Amino acid sequence: MRNIYEIKYLKYSATKYRNHVGISFFVVLKGKVMMTIKDESTFYEEGETFIVKHNECYKLDVLEGNIVVQIHLYESLIETMVPELLSNHYHLTSQSEIMMLRDQLIYLCCLNLTHKNNQNLKIMKQLISILEVYKERLFLKNHDCPIIHKNVNPIIEEIKDYIFEHYNERITINTFTHKYHLSESYFSKMFKEQMGVNFKDYLTDIRLLNSIYDLIHTHEKVIDISEKHGFYNVSAYIHSFKLYYGVTPKKYRDMIQNRNAQFARPSFFNEVDYEKNLSIDEIKFYLRHFEQKYTQTVCT
């Protein structure tokens, strides 16, 4: 998923100031690091998480012996999924606000190290989850509400998991009302209350999001992509895509491919003064150690 997200582990690094494009999440795996934004420096210790927002000017310093992981989400991904995050002026500062987000980020790091047939699907699901959690934290903070984890109905969690795994198959409301012995009206109300969007729009959104990977990174025909991702009528796919993103799939492909060329890896990480990267074995070791100490999920 090049040019959608990127993960970098640093154990000895110093960057020059740069204007940040996209959103970067940092988790300190070992020791202490210093982040400077607009000439204001803050130290973060092991187990802590911090965020650099879109268009912020920052400088990161990691002294030898300390380790931080940077999960960078490119502007094209955020603009597609949650565009309001590119213009949000609020910031999460309390570690209690970020704890759930930190665990989601570490899980993404683990997924990135696996090599399974459905890896891209799981990674896309996790990226969506990270942005949803981040948006939820910001929404609560912006409205001066206490940070409370919303308990999602177990049925809805099962449905979300099923949709992520089978979104390209034939799915209707009846798929779940029959399974859980619910009326359509009750199911629709429950889903809307839990997810903030109706079932049909949620399913369509997941299909569109997954189709975007192929639009950006393959030369497959639009009609083939539409069928591959659950749209059995290419006209319906084009109509839904234009309704959600304002342009046709072909136009979107041209726009994003041209834009992504500006954010290739060499240009994003070309302002590092000096650095030493971790080996794969070192990465796995520190992730396992971090998870055993701070989170509930152990990286395999």
Side-chain angles (χ1 to χ4, degrees), residues 38-298:
K38 296 179 180 178
D39 297 324
E40 182 176 338
S41 298
T42 305
F43 284 95
Y44 294 93
E45 299 184 350
E46 180 179 303
E48 294 188 326
T49 302
F50 53 98
I51 302 162
V52 176
K53 298 184 298 180
H54 182 59
N55 280 336
E56 281 191 323
C57 187
Y58 83 97
K59 181 179 184 296
L60 174 68
D61 291 282
V62 184
L63 298 180
E64 189 167 14
N66 302 307
I67 300 171
V68 63
V69 55
Q70 177 182 7
I71 300 97
H72 179 71
L73 306 188
Y74 282 83
E75 182 184 18
S76 58
L77 173 70
I78 302 164
E79 189 173 59
T80 299
M81 292 185 175
V82 197
E84 56 267 38
L85 292 182
L86 294 177
S87 59
N88 198 297
H89 299 295
Y90 292 86
H91 208 138
L92 299 177
T93 55
S94 168
Q95 290 300 310
S96 63
E97 296 173 337
I98 310 177
M99 189 173 296
M100 183 188 299
L101 182 60
R102 179 199 66 187
D103 294 349
Q104 297 275 0
L105 293 166
I106 293 298
Y107 183 57
L108 175 65
C109 293
C110 290
L111 286 177
N112 186 62
L113 295 175
T114 63
H115 299 284
K116 298 181 180 179
N117 293 334
N118 60 349
Q119 180 192 25
N120 283 344
L121 180 64
K122 289 186 175 181
I123 287 176
M124 181 61 75
K125 175 182 176 181
Q126 189 62 17
L127 289 170
I128 294 170
S129 180
I130 287 169
L131 288 173
E132 285 180 345
V133 171
Y134 182 45
K135 180 182 176 182
E136 181 186 58
R137 303 296 97 174
L138 287 175
F139 176 83
L140 291 171
K141 184 178 180 66
N142 293 357
H143 288 77
D144 297 321
C145 297
I147 301 300
I148 302 173
H149 176 52
K150 181 172 70 175
N151 293 318
V152 178
N153 189 305
I155 291 177
I156 298 299
E157 288 288 7
E158 289 183 16
I159 291 171
K160 287 174 61 181
D161 289 339
Y162 184 90
I163 290 174
F164 274 111
E165 296 294 334
H166 303 277
Y167 72 92
N168 57 339
E169 301 173 9
R170 180 172 176 78
I171 298 176
T172 67
I173 285 182
N174 291 335
T175 303
F176 305 108
T177 56
H178 291 164
K179 179 178 179 179
Y180 296 106
H181 307 290
L182 302 171
S183 68
E184 288 189 22
S185 60
Y186 179 81
F187 173 84
S188 297
K189 181 180 179 182
M190 176 179 66
F191 194 93
K192 180 70 177 291
E193 288 178 347
Q194 292 277 302
M195 300 303 299
V197 64
N198 66 49
F199 171 79
K200 182 180 179 181
D201 287 345
Y202 182 82
L203 176 59
T204 299
D205 198 28
I206 296 302
R207 286 172 169 167
L208 291 174
L209 287 171
N210 280 281
S211 76
I212 283 172
Y213 179 83
D214 289 328
L215 284 175
I216 296 175
H217 299 289
T218 76
H219 297 288
E220 293 181 40
K221 295 179 180 179
V222 170
I223 187 172
D224 294 331
I225 291 175
S226 68
E227 293 177 357
K228 179 180 177 180
H229 294 284
F231 294 91
Y232 298 101
N233 183 313
V234 67
S235 297
Y237 173 59
I238 294 173
H239 174 77
S240 296
F241 199 99
K242 190 171 183 179
L243 187 66
Y244 274 65
Y245 302 120
V247 294
T248 65
K250 184 181 184 304
K251 179 68 174 178
Y252 182 89
R253 167 182 268 171
D254 294 339
M255 290 168 52
I256 296 300
Q257 285 183 341
N258 291 336
R259 183 181 303 161
N260 280 350
Q262 303 173 22
F263 301 115
R265 178 174 180 142
S267 64
F268 180 71
F269 289 114
N270 68 353
E271 295 180 4
V272 178
D273 291 332
Y274 53 91
E275 68 175 27
K276 292 181 181 178
N277 295 327
L278 277 71
S279 68
I280 295 298
D281 288 340
E282 286 179 306
I283 291 171
K284 289 181 177 180
F285 172 81
Y286 284 110
L287 282 176
R288 288 195 191 99
H289 178 268
F290 187 92
E291 290 181 313
Q292 290 169 357
K293 188 172 182 180
Y294 296 102
T295 73
Q296 298 297 316
T297 305
V298 177

